Amino acid sequence: MPSPKAKTPARAGGSPVLGGANGRYEFMSLTKSLNRSSPPPPPLLLQRQGSDPTTARLRVSESPTRRRGSSSSTGSASGQAPPEEDGLRLNPSFLRVALSSLLAIDLWMSKRLGVCACEDSSWGSVRPLMKLIEISGHGIPWLAGGVYCLYKSDSAAGQEVMLNLLMGLLLDLLLVAVVKASVRRRRPAHNRMDMFATFSVDRYSFPSGHATRAAMCARFLLAHLVLAAPLRVLVLLWAALVGLSRVMLGRHNVTDVMFGFWMGYCQYNLVELLWLSPQTLQGLLGHLA
């Protein structure tokens, strides 16, 4: 009859357990089986387990995620709003949007109306006529004509009118030069700098000096000269053609001409306010002498 110790009892899982004295073999087999079934610990865990706890805490505190979380929590806790500059950039004012839209429309219209900017343009054959109208609104012909008429005038009333016209022309040159030097708006890109007798400030576009001069002179002539109805219409038509020629030749934008007309209209009011009579001029010359 076989001894009961010769038989090894079966495990619950079906694998035999080796027997031995005092249960030593059974304990060793159980330890080995447990070691085979459990996976090895990750090396990072082993390293962290062997590292210093203080170093581990410092690494956690210096991590980018912890820093981002702390900064966001600090900002939310303090309740600080985003900078005002960022809000202005994201939400531009209605006035800024309106001005940008008007500027874009102005540039588009000026480009479309510049049909005589060069000889190869759609209306290039009309360019010589537009340049002639341009010269008619230049300051030098008006100053030369005013001095000649003042010299040839034999009446006090005529001399007074021509004297104030010359004063208005000089005032127009000064004011336009000041505004151009202050604004410094460049002329259109399709413009050709082939104008008659240009000066340093003429490289700027705003406002149109021809338009200011045409508006002021037209109002001056209509107010102080006795003209028939056809001549009055011709004066108005000449002023309008001078302003139109500035855009068709590519010299100015539409807003330059429009502001020039308004400025010339206001300059006449200033001339009327500073009106000089021959007696006032003689008194000034006597004080200077």
Side-chain angles (χ1 to χ4, degrees):
M1 183 174 180
S3 174
K5 292 184 178 180
K7 295 182 180 180
T8 58
R11 301 172 89 187
S15 60
V17 180
L18 297 176
N22 299 325
R24 181 180 179 183
Y25 292 115
E26 288 87 350
F27 178 76
M28 291 179 63
S29 62
L30 286 172
T31 306
K32 291 180 180 179
S33 63
L34 288 174
N35 290 337
R36 291 195 205 99
S37 61
S38 61
L44 183 60
L45 182 60
L46 292 176
Q47 291 177 4
R48 288 186 178 178
Q49 289 176 356
S51 60
D52 189 10
T54 307
T55 307
R57 286 196 298 270
L58 290 175
R59 288 175 181 173
V60 172
S61 64
E62 293 176 358
S63 63
T65 308
R66 182 67 175 267
R67 286 198 298 268
R68 287 195 297 268
S70 62
S71 63
S72 61
S73 62
T74 304
S76 61
S78 60
Q80 294 179 354
E84 187 177 357
E85 296 178 356
D86 297 340
L88 290 176
R89 291 173 186 170
L90 295 176
N91 300 317
S93 62
F94 175 77
L95 181 60
R96 186 180 302 177
V97 173
L99 290 178
S100 301
S101 302
L102 289 176
L103 180 60
I105 295 173
D106 178 35
L107 296 177
W108 176 78
M109 290 182 61
S110 303
K111 181 68 175 179
R112 294 294 301 268
L113 293 176
V115 293
C116 301
C118 59
E119 289 79 3
D120 299 336
S121 302
S122 57
W123 287 25
S125 58
V126 193
R127 183 177 173 83
L129 178 60
M130 291 293 106
K131 293 191 68 174
L132 183 62
I133 298 175
E134 177 185 59
I135 295 175
S136 69
H138 199 277
I140 291 180
W142 277 93
L143 288 172
V147 171
Y148 179 78
C149 292
L150 178 62
Y151 175 74
K152 287 294 185 178
S153 180
D154 53 356
S155 63
Q159 292 176 359
E160 181 180 357
V161 170
M162 299 312 301
L163 176 64
N164 286 274
L165 178 59
L166 288 174
M167 184 190 69
L169 291 172
L170 294 176
L171 184 64
D172 171 72
L173 291 175
L174 178 62
L175 293 178
V176 170
V178 169
V179 176
K180 281 188 175 183
S182 301
V183 178
R184 295 187 178 184
R185 184 184 188 183
R186 293 291 180 180
R187 292 188 181 271
H190 55 279
N191 173 48
R192 291 179 56 188
M193 290 298 294
D194 57 348
M195 293 180 288
F196 169 73
T198 58
F199 297 94
S200 59
V201 294
D202 286 335
R203 65 178 181 270
Y204 301 124
S205 173
F206 186 89
S208 171
H210 284 70
T212 59
R213 194 173 302 111
M216 186 199 67
C217 292
R219 193 177 178 192
F220 190 95
L221 294 177
L222 293 176
H224 295 282
L225 295 183
V226 180
L227 301 174
L231 292 178
R232 298 175 73 88
V233 173
L234 286 178
V235 170
L236 294 176
L237 182 61
W238 166 80
L241 286 176
V242 169
L244 183 61
S245 67
R246 310 311 294 155
V247 181
M248 293 180 66
L249 289 171
R251 310 293 196 202
H252 293 276
N253 297 306
V254 176
T255 52
D256 303 335
V257 176
M258 294 177 63
F259 185 84
F261 279 145
W262 177 82
M263 185 174 175
Y265 187 88
C266 296
Q267 282 177 358
Y268 173 77
N269 296 333
L270 186 59
V271 171
E272 290 289 335
L273 184 63
L274 302 175
W275 188 267
L276 293 176
S277 61
Q279 293 80 13
T280 306
L281 181 61
Q282 289 176 3
L284 293 174
L285 293 177
H287 286 295
L288 293 175

